[in-house]
Amino acid sequence: MPEYRRARIQGGTYFFTVVTYHRIPILTDEKARSILKNAWMNVMKRFPFWQEAVCLLPEHIHCVWTLPEGDSDYSVRWKEIKRYFTREYQAKYGGLDLPGDSRIKRGEGTLWQRRFWEHAIRDQEDLNRHLDYIHFNPVKHSLVKSVSEWPWSSFHRYVKEGYYAGNWGGAGKDLNDSKEFGE
């Protein structure tokens, strides 16, 4: 099995994509959202991080986090979020699939893909591109025609803060119309 090398920058800002097992579309369901929010908040208290942006889609999450100075362990945060969510979801609603031998051996459930995608944000331009990507994702996946129609996104917070116009990211809109973040 290949050895994955992850970027480890203490106090760094990272983009993540985390996907459900077999891309099961449960995350935007009300019961799953409630459990995920509780998991997120629980882990955030124990292992602090700043959530720069997030978009919850039916079968995956995109987000950008900034870790505290001196801390580069985002993996423990994802492990704990996944563990909490899986335990609570399965206790309330049962499992979705029988785990294979490999998952049993590793103590894994069947609600999340084993790994996650991570990218260390290099600079302001890179952050801006990733924020645009996160917020436009529901339109990209044809879930809505305009970014503002998707309720499970930090886009609405950014509109209130004046970084995006409320009509940014509609079908056919110019994605280069956002302000630069962090000004």
Side-chain angles (χ1 to χ4, degrees):
M1 174 178 260
E3 182 178 322
Y4 291 92
R5 294 182 186 231
R6 297 206 180 267
R8 299 283 182 192
I9 302 165
Q10 294 191 3
T13 300
Y14 301 90
F15 166 81
F16 300 101
T17 300
V18 183
V19 182
T20 59
Y21 187 62
H22 291 308
R23 290 196 169 265
I24 51 173
I26 61 168
L27 296 178
T28 53
D29 178 75
E30 185 177 346
K31 57 191 178 190
R33 286 193 330 268
S34 175
I35 294 169
L36 184 60
K37 180 179 180 181
N38 289 339
W40 203 277
M41 300 308 287
N42 177 285
V43 171
M44 195 180 261
K45 284 179 188 170
R46 292 186 301 134
F47 303 99
F49 61 91
W50 174 251
Q51 177 181 286
E52 304 288 347
V54 65
C55 187
L56 182 64
L57 292 109
E59 78 292 341
H60 67 285
I61 303 166
H62 290 300
C63 60
V64 174
W65 293 351
T66 298
L67 300 184
E69 287 298 318
D71 189 344
S72 63
D73 196 357
Y74 48 78
S75 291
V76 73
R77 290 161 171 86
W78 281 117
K79 177 183 175 186
E80 290 298 305
I81 289 170
K82 288 175 165 185
R83 184 186 62 76
Y84 183 107
F85 179 87
T86 299
R87 183 185 69 228
E88 295 298 314
Y89 192 93
Q90 288 181 330
K92 291 181 180 180
Y93 307 110
L96 299 175
D97 201 357
L98 294 174
D101 291 341
S102 171
R103 285 184 168 269
I104 291 170
K105 179 181 170 185
R106 295 170 193 253
E108 297 173 340
T110 56
L111 292 177
W112 298 101
Q113 282 187 4
R114 184 168 285 148
R115 294 185 175 84
F116 55 87
W117 169 259
E118 142 273 318
H119 166 78
I121 300 295
R122 294 182 301 271
D123 55 25
Q124 190 65 51
E125 185 179 333
D126 192 28
L127 176 61
N128 294 347
R129 274 194 315 271
H130 281 85
L131 294 175
D132 288 353
Y133 177 83
I134 287 170
H135 294 129
F136 192 73
N137 216 250
V139 176
K140 174 186 167 194
H141 289 285
S142 301
L143 297 168
V144 291
K145 292 184 180 181
S146 173
V147 173
S148 64
E149 296 172 10
W150 192 251
W152 305 295
S153 168
S154 56
F155 173 75
H156 308 286
R157 180 184 80 197
Y158 279 101
V159 169
K160 285 179 188 170
E161 293 174 357
Y163 292 110
Y164 287 112
N167 64 350
W168 178 89
K173 297 277 185 198
D174 182 5
L175 296 184
N176 295 319
D177 261 353
S178 60
K179 289 184 183 178
E180 186 164 317
F181 293 86
E183 290 183 329

